[in-house]
Amino acid sequence: MSLLDNAKFLSPVWARYTDILVERGEGAYLYAADGRSYLDFTCGIGVTNTGHCHPRVVAAIREQAGLLLHGQANIIYHRPMLELVGALREVVDPALDSFFFSNSGAEAVEGAVKLARQATGRSEIIVFQGGFHGRTAGAMALTSSKGKYRGGYANMPAGVHFAPFAYLYRNAVVRAAGKNPAALSWAAPYAEEGYEEPLGQLRQIMDTETVPEDVAAILVEPIQGEGGYIVPPIGFIQGLRQICDEHGILLIADEVQTGFGRTGAFFAMEHFGVTPDILLMAKGLASGLPLSGIAARRELMERWHAGSHGGTYGGNAVACAAAVATIAAIREEGMVENAARLGGILKNELGALRGRHPAVGDVRGLGLMVGVELVGEGDAPNGALAKRVLVGCRERGLLLLNCGPYDNVVRFIPPLVANEAQVRQAVRIFEEALAG
Ligand code: PLP
């Protein structure tokens, strides 16, 4: 009997990508029990931005584990949480000067919605089609990147409205005008068009399904992640800020997947020149330990009734120590700059495939968050091909994931410590798998 036999006792609700038993990870690589190694361009779904087992993060975890594992946030202050607040003050927009910690992205999302509702006294939340915000009951109600995340779970918590996202490659107006949607998508975030129409539809929601005075918040991923690695134009995110300002609505940026250097800026909202009212972080924050955070202005946080939200583990001492080391490593080792530079190379290399492979419909991304949308006849989403390509890559020692409602977007999420040779190798393997 092998250890892997125990896998059959795990719940099948985990949709499984591979059956690889991993013994250890280091930098950009995972090492399997059967002796194989894999170039890991999944980063545990955008978590291990500092690479697997970054020595500084591991050392901080080891040290803190010997001092204090758990110091409950309502009862005491512990050193790592206060140090983390100090570290975050160096990287988060200074306007957002108050922090709350929990364990997962979904918890941060739910906390932010609760904060927005209490702070504004309003009930409605506007989110975007294709958005992903997590799988707890509240977060699921805000998520629409795949029907299966919602199917069979009726009834959803109420007060949620879905507006279209500025998905340039699939923009019907651009296509009807005979323009090249892939060129527009490539130009994002600087595309000059493709944002007025979705913003108009969002305004229409506030004229029909609800009224602006009832809207507490607009919740947006600055770059849609699970929905297909979709970069909107600057005008879209700036337009959301404007609509929020017009009506006293709070803008919540879900940077759970885009944060911590991933896009070549510390937070993706920086690309758009927009400060949200509430910023959400998780994944890359603690290099793999469960930790998430909400940042907002103090005066907003003060309107969140004391004691009305919290949690036993949020801001765990070991996780906070890992986050402090993570932020130091990202900043001192130039990982944001590396993401910007390597991201340019990755996107260009993948973009070059468009000319050679008609199945490559769209290549888009910022920094080391790049998606390749695979298509068939008439640009129809080709999820079957994406699945084949992932298997082909895995057989050749490269781990990638797909995303999007039709699973046809292959996403590249390398660690920010990857090097140029690894990026070029990944594109070479991807092309071989595509051709094979
Ligand atoms: N928000 C975004 C943008 C995400 O990508 C995710 C996870 O993929 C979540 C929220 C949920 O995070 P978690 O899985 O930690 O609950």
Side-chain angles (χ1 to χ4, degrees), residues 45 104-107 109 132-134 221 226 254 256-257 282-283:
I45 321 189
S104 66
E107 271 185 90
V109 167
F132 185 91
H133 300 289
E221 294 161 88
E226 301 304 305
D254 181 343
V256 166
Q257 192 154 164
K283 288 195 188 278

Side-chain angles (χ1 to χ4, degrees), residues 48-51 53-60 87 91 260-261 266 284-287 321-338 416-417:
T48 53
N49 289 7
T50 55
C53 298
H54 190 289
R56 290 173 77 163
V57 177
V58 171
V91 293
F260 295 89
F266 212 95
L285 167 59
S287 293
V324 172
T326 296
I327 294 169
I330 291 175
R331 297 184 76 200
E332 289 164 29
E333 294 171 29
M335 292 188 204
V336 182
E337 298 74 15
N338 196 43
L416 313 187
V417 294

